[in-house]
Amino acid sequence: MKYPDYSSGFPEKVTLEIPVYERAFEGWNVTDNYYTRWIQKEFGDTYNIEVRYIPISRVNEVKNYEQLLASGKAPDLIVHYDMPQALAYYGEGVMQELDWEEAEFYAPTYWNKMSGTIKQYGRINGENIFFFADRPGYGNYVNIIRKDWVEKVGMKVENLISLEKFNEMLVKWKEAEIGFAGSALTRNVFTYSAPFRDWPINPKEHALYADLSVADFTTSASEAWLRNLSYQYHNGLIDKEFYLRDDENKAKAEFVAGKAGTFGMYLTSNTDVFEATLMNNPEAEFAVLPPTSAVPEGKVPLGRADWPFGFIMGINNATSSEERAALWMYLEWISQPDHLFLLQNGIEGQNYSLDADGLPHKDPNYKGESQLSQNNNKDYWALVTETPLFRTPELTLKANMINWSPAGYEYIVKDMLKYQKEVMAYGITDPLFSVVLTKVNEYKTDLSHLFQELYLDIILAPEEQFEAKYEAAIIKYLEAGYQEILDEKQQAINAGQYKIY
């Protein structure tokens, strides 16, 4: 046999280290809970594997990974949602080349599901490097607005069809002393300028400037975004201290307290945002903010489409052959329908009950030992799929609606899906380069910090200084490495080493 058979367990204990996002859910221990103990008992003890979970801060993910990699303490699995950063890790030489036949041997269920995607996207510079989680094509990110506030100033949510209409409403909120739009510090993920870009896109221009890890600070779309943000800030339409809201919980706190009237989040059935807001504001009513509310008149709701995969994964160079086999076996074990179902839903009769279709309906009031995390344990099962799947697309959609709908707020999910369908035609992926962009890796961290410094300097300065501040900032940004990034990207574009989907 080409590969050792560990189906009866490893002869000597193997330690497998798996990353898990630390999202600061109150009362949730990401490394020690009912489900980590269940995995250890049912999987780890069966195969003589000690499964250790390594917490990675969701808001400081790259920094955490870089520190762990530098100190030699990174987990066996290196994960990220975005290809530019995954390529950056690869460019640092921290991932090992993989044997797809080995993956198929130890993880046949996982491999049969994902082999096509892996073979298409996982090969970099002639090496087998990346493997992926499935992405079935359902998304649950939503922007919520206080419907009662909108109606209090004589407007309707469905009529917020442009950025101009949205700003008009915010002016009315201010005049009525109701509140402001939720806003937060822009950093790390740079999709802010999408609604201001031209349509149809120029593929080569899109490939040059669209980048999750580096802001397109010098484009006309960025300038338009900055001008609107400056207008909103100087007219009191957004939180005056928006730059202090540097994580989701801080932005959420403003919404829950009744200070901000909008909030963006990944919607799950066990979110507490509605309940918590109502405790402070019993009269609150909620609606989905139309995506066109962020789009200037004459533009389209251009947005970032997901790549056809979820988590992008690689294996640490320091991982041994036994640990690598254990990792494939771990993915295989989680891929089994019964194991995946339990991780996603919990224990029947405790966390959920089944309906006539066999779909789980979660009990939002269950607080027992097997309580799920606030995102339904996704950080454990997202290694194999981004969204739960069921027997048919119709059942999957029905299940997702159950999974995403807090009791009494099913209409939020319906409207979220309706809007997603309406703007789907304007979803464009970021460019997927097939070469490592060394200048991106070299400068992106410094440019990210510089972007924060420059854009805040422009926004917080008096409005009459906008042009002078922005022109000086462009020069500084280009000289700090962005021009070198653009030159490198242009070379790859000219060579056809990119794709857009």
Side-chain angles (χ1 to χ4, degrees):
M1 186 178 293
K2 186 174 180 180
Y3 306 103
D5 182 1
Y6 299 121
S7 59
S8 298
F10 288 87
E12 296 183 9
K13 179 157 287 188
V14 171
T15 299
L16 177 63
E17 294 186 334
I18 301 293
V20 60
Y21 283 142
E22 171 60 81
R23 297 180 187 266
F25 292 148
E26 186 175 352
W28 182 257
N29 186 331
V30 297
T31 64
D32 183 17
N33 55 65
Y34 178 89
Y35 297 95
T36 61
R37 293 191 292 272
W38 172 71
I39 290 170
Q40 180 58 52
K41 180 184 177 195
E42 299 297 325
F43 169 74
D45 293 354
T46 298
Y47 297 109
N48 199 23
I49 299 168
E50 180 185 352
V51 184
R52 292 181 185 170
Y53 291 95
I54 308 300
I56 303 291
S57 168
R58 186 64 179 107
V59 296
N60 292 299
E61 175 186 353
V62 174
K63 182 179 180 181
N64 277 192
Y65 256 117
E66 294 290 8
Q67 289 172 339
L68 291 168
L69 288 165
S71 64
K73 297 179 180 178
D76 295 300
L77 194 63
I78 299 172
V79 304
H80 199 72
Y81 268 118
D82 304 312
M83 187 59 87
Q85 182 56 45
L87 282 168
Y89 290 140
Y90 165 76
E92 293 172 20
V94 299
M95 295 179 182
Q96 57 179 271
E97 187 172 8
L98 303 174
D99 176 357
W100 294 151
E101 291 183 5
E102 180 187 65
E104 183 177 14
F105 178 81
Y106 290 115
T109 305
Y110 167 78
W111 180 257
N112 287 340
K113 177 79 173 176
M114 296 306 301
S115 59
T117 302
I118 292 170
K119 289 178 180 179
Q120 184 173 359
Y121 301 107
R123 194 166 174 81
I124 306 297
N125 288 343
E127 296 181 310
N128 298 333
I129 298 295
F130 295 126
F131 49 104
F132 307 91
D134 191 22
R135 184 180 286 276
Y138 301 92
N140 62 328
Y141 189 84
V142 65
N143 280 297
I144 301 296
I145 190 168
R146 284 285 298 271
K147 180 173 178 284
D148 54 313
W149 286 15
V150 179
E151 294 177 349
K152 191 175 289 187
V153 296
M155 299 183 74
K156 294 182 178 180
V157 173
E158 58 267 28
N159 292 336
L160 300 175
I161 57 174
S162 68
L163 178 61
E164 287 79 5
K165 278 289 183 184
F166 182 65
N167 282 338
E168 177 187 332
M169 180 203 67
L170 295 182
V171 170
K172 293 183 177 182
W173 280 5
K174 185 191 177 187
E175 290 172 347
E177 298 182 344
I178 294 176
F180 45 74
S183 190
L185 180 69
T186 299
R187 63 171 187 171
N188 297 337
V189 176
F190 300 105
T191 58
Y192 62 84
S193 69
F196 300 88
R197 297 174 191 167
D198 291 331
W199 181 267
I201 66 161
N202 177 318
K204 291 186 176 181
E205 184 176 297
H206 183 74
L208 186 62
Y209 290 109
D211 195 316
L212 278 180
S213 60
V214 181
D216 58 317
F217 190 61
T218 64
T219 65
S220 59
S222 273
E223 181 180 2
W225 172 78
L226 284 165
R227 285 189 183 278
N228 177 68
L229 188 58
S230 176
Y231 165 76
Q232 290 177 332
Y233 175 77
H234 286 288
N235 287 278
L237 309 186
I238 59 173
D239 183 354
K240 280 290 187 184
E241 295 185 330
F242 72 91
Y243 47 86
L244 298 180
R245 318 299 172 216
D246 57 357
D247 66 31
E248 183 178 300
N249 284 335
K250 291 176 182 177
K252 176 183 172 182
E254 296 293 290
F255 185 77
V256 166
K259 297 177 181 179
T262 61
F263 175 62
M265 63 176 175
Y266 287 97
L267 190 62
T268 59
S269 61
N270 57 352
T271 181
D272 63 351
V273 69
F274 301 113
E275 179 184 350
T277 304
L278 286 168
M279 287 181 65
N280 294 314
N281 313 270
E283 76 288 354
E285 297 178 29
F286 310 97
V288 177
L289 181 63
T292 50
S293 65
V295 182
E297 292 176 0
K299 300 288 187 180
V300 302
L302 197 156
R304 179 181 179 268
D306 292 316
W307 286 308
F309 43 78
F311 262 140
I312 304 161
M313 297 175 279
I315 297 181
N316 194 327
N317 252 339
T319 296
S320 69
S321 58
E322 290 82 8
E323 291 163 344
R324 189 177 60 247
L327 176 55
W328 294 130
M329 292 165 66
Y330 180 78
L331 292 179
E332 176 68 10
W333 189 85
I334 290 180
S335 295
Q336 300 309 307
D338 289 348
H339 301 155
L340 193 55
F341 192 89
L342 192 148
L343 267 180
Q344 291 170 341
N345 300 286
I347 308 300
E348 185 178 5
Q350 297 179 18
N351 304 86
Y352 69 91
S353 58
L354 293 176
D355 65 13
D357 292 318
L359 299 180
H361 291 253
K362 294 187 175 69
D363 177 359
N365 299 314
Y366 178 72
K367 304 296 181 185
E369 183 184 9
S370 64
Q371 182 178 2
L372 303 168
S373 76
Q374 285 186 29
N375 66 344
N376 292 318
N377 286 354
K378 183 177 177 180
D379 296 322
Y380 303 95
W381 50 263
L383 298 183
V384 296
T385 183
E386 185 65 14
T387 307
L389 288 176
F390 292 85
R391 293 191 306 277
T392 66
E394 292 76 19
L395 280 179
T396 295
L397 179 58
K398 182 180 177 182
N400 281 333
M401 293 191 69
I402 295 169
N403 204 37
W404 294 334
S405 300
Y409 294 96
E410 292 77 9
Y411 71 93
I412 294 285
V413 177
K414 289 179 181 178
D415 285 347
M416 175 184 76
L417 294 173
K418 179 192 74 170
Y419 284 130
Q420 285 179 6
K421 188 175 182 180
E422 289 178 3
V423 303
M424 189 177 297
Y426 304 108
I428 304 295
T429 65
D430 294 323
L432 194 61
F433 285 91
S434 58
V435 292
V436 177
L437 299 172
T438 59
K439 295 301 181 182
V440 172
N441 297 342
E442 181 179 350
Y443 291 117
K444 67 179 179 178
T445 300
D446 289 342
L447 285 177
S448 180
H449 293 309
L450 181 59
F451 167 81
Q452 283 180 225
E453 173 193 321
L454 295 175
Y455 105 87
L456 289 179
D457 182 52
I458 293 167
I459 300 305
L460 301 183
E463 285 185 278
E464 60 269 20
Q465 296 181 18
F466 183 94
E467 281 78 9
K469 288 272 188 183
Y470 183 53
E471 288 176 11
I474 286 177
I475 295 170
K476 189 170 184 179
Y477 195 72
L478 288 168
E479 290 178 346
Y482 192 53
Q483 185 61 61
E484 293 184 47
I485 287 175
L486 294 178
D487 291 343
E488 181 182 42
K489 282 187 175 181
Q490 190 62 62
Q491 185 176 352
I493 292 167
N494 292 343
Q497 297 170 318
Y498 76 100
K499 293 180 182 178
I500 297 172
Y501 299 89

